[in-house]
Amino acid sequence: MAQQPAGTGALYIVATPIGNLGDISQRAIDVLKAADLIAAEDTRHSSRLTQHFGITTRLVSYHDFSSSAREDAILTELSAGRSVALISDAGTPLISDPGYSLVARARLLKVPVIPIPGACALTAALSAAGLPTDRFVFEGFPPHKQGARKQLFESLAAEQRTVIFYESPHRIADSLQDMRDVFGGQRLAVICRELTKTWETIHGDSLEALSLWIQADDNNRRGEFVVLIHGAPAPDQIGLQTEADRQLHILLEELPVKQAAALVAKITGLKKNALYKRALELDGTR
Ligand code: SAM
């Protein structure tokens, strides 16, 4: 096994692809082959992956509804010095996926927990959306019921960091409408659909326009989604920033980014560099 001396058990948290099988790492394949056991969210689903890569390690099921006896059995294997690799259906385990309780208990038992990093829809979306990445909040899936969903969005409406959600095809249209109603139609957002797959789409616009876009074509609602919402401006900047955004929107229709930013800096007195960055964001998400 990669890092552990023989006879020492370890729990490996192994990321698997979120669509494109080429995204699995060599290290992930090696660890899955060498492990004594693979704990998988759905063994039937994961057996397609293991077959594809010639991995013959025994798969056992482990998910959020697994009995505590199943979790105990995995911990017993680990305590006996065997190595277990945890995988989920796609991407990084524990990120809106099962595994938290197992990892927490393994660490309490002083079993080494070793991440094998790789694909994750959250980081893939953030890296390509063109929204600020220096600070962000990940909220997982919004609640299914509209009341609870709107309440959550309201609690995030003044959040200045980029806000990121996962969403399913069944709820994406309703969620976007609620986002538009609560965050405001002018707020910039980006939809990342089917990342790494054939129909990969990365589409940025105002929430008003995105909400219309998602309803315009059934195909736009197919697949898996990450939604990223631009953070709110700082309270003392709200009036000025809104006005600057309005001017940038108009000028970017006609002018290159640099010129539009320079003109808005002259009109508003805001910093040229900050406006240039903002203009790039607005331009990049069109
Ligand atoms: N653990 C996974 C990860 O690392 O991203 C996420 C698992 S969560 C149960 C599944 C959700 O992740 C999907 O409903 C969707 O919101 C998002 N997702 C997964 N794969 C995706 C993809 N290829 N493109 C866009 N979103 C994806």
Side-chain angles (χ1 to χ4, degrees):
M1 208 59 192
Q3 284 99 346
Q4 290 307 113
T8 313
L11 176 60
Y12 291 84
I13 310 302
V14 182
T16 58
I18 56 170
N20 189 323
L21 288 182
D23 290 336
I24 198 161
S25 72
Q26 187 58 52
R27 188 166 171 233
I29 295 172
D30 293 345
V31 165
L32 292 174
K33 280 186 174 167
D36 294 303
L37 204 64
I38 298 173
E41 186 181 2
D42 176 342
T43 51
R44 229 177 43 185
H45 176 94
S46 291
S47 65
R48 288 197 286 273
L49 182 87
T50 51
Q51 270 165 29
H52 181 87
F53 289 106
I55 297 160
T56 53
T57 311
R58 183 162 67 94
L59 287 158
V60 296
S61 119
Y62 174 78
H63 45 71
D64 278 341
F65 308 104
S66 289
S67 62
S68 56
R70 171 52 56 87
E71 197 168 284
D72 292 347
I74 294 172
L75 289 164
T76 303
E77 295 283 335
L78 288 164
S79 300
R82 281 183 277 281
S83 60
V84 178
L86 176 70
I87 59 174
S88 61
D89 286 352
T92 302
L94 280 85
I95 306 300
S96 291
D97 264 342
Y100 164 67
S101 163
L102 183 64
V103 168
R105 288 183 66 196
R107 287 188 57 80
L108 275 179
L109 292 171
K110 307 272 183 243
V111 170
V113 180
I114 300 170
I116 308 295
C120 177
L122 161 67
T123 48
L126 188 62
S127 70
L131 294 182
T133 55
D134 49 346
R135 298 189 310 146
F136 61 90
V137 214
F138 175 55
E139 283 286 334
F141 288 94
H144 298 184
K145 294 213 169 114
Q146 189 180 39
R149 190 163 61 220
K150 280 195 147 177
Q151 215 174 359
L152 172 70
F153 292 165
E154 272 151 21
S155 75
L156 292 164
E159 174 58 63
Q160 289 170 39
R161 295 167 288 182
T162 298
V163 184
I164 305 171
F165 296 101
Y166 281 168
E167 194 46 288
S168 77
H170 317 293
R171 277 179 291 276
I172 185 71
D174 288 347
S175 252
L176 273 172
Q177 266 185 30
D178 291 344
M179 286 172 189
R180 177 203 60 194
D181 292 348
V182 175
F183 292 92
Q186 290 313 304
R187 184 79 75 95
L188 215 56
V190 178
I191 293 179
C192 295
R193 182 174 85 92
E194 293 289 86
L195 291 168
T196 79
K197 304 186 205 175
T198 310
W199 302 108
E200 178 176 271
T201 311
I202 300 178
H203 183 57
D205 211 325
S206 67
L207 279 172
E208 179 70 51
L210 286 178
S211 174
L212 293 173
W213 177 82
I214 207 82
Q215 288 170 57
D217 185 341
D218 286 352
N219 287 325
N220 294 346
R221 292 191 295 279
R222 287 192 213 286
E224 301 191 278
F225 294 87
V226 183
V227 182
L228 306 94
I229 302 179
H230 199 294
D236 58 332
Q237 293 283 308
I238 289 175
L240 208 51
Q241 188 64 56
T242 311
E243 179 53 21
D245 274 7
R246 192 184 70 81
Q247 293 177 13
L248 284 172
H249 267 299
I250 297 168
L251 293 179
L252 284 169
E253 300 278 329
E254 310 286 340
L255 298 174
V257 167
K258 200 169 166 192
Q259 225 175 326
L263 277 174
V264 177
K266 268 192 194 158
I267 299 167
T268 59
L270 289 171
K271 288 214 168 74
K272 203 161 39 174
N273 277 354
L275 285 166
Y276 181 70
K277 255 173 89 175
R278 179 71 179 147
L280 278 178
E281 277 168 22
L282 295 172
D283 203 43
T285 53
R286 267 158 202 278

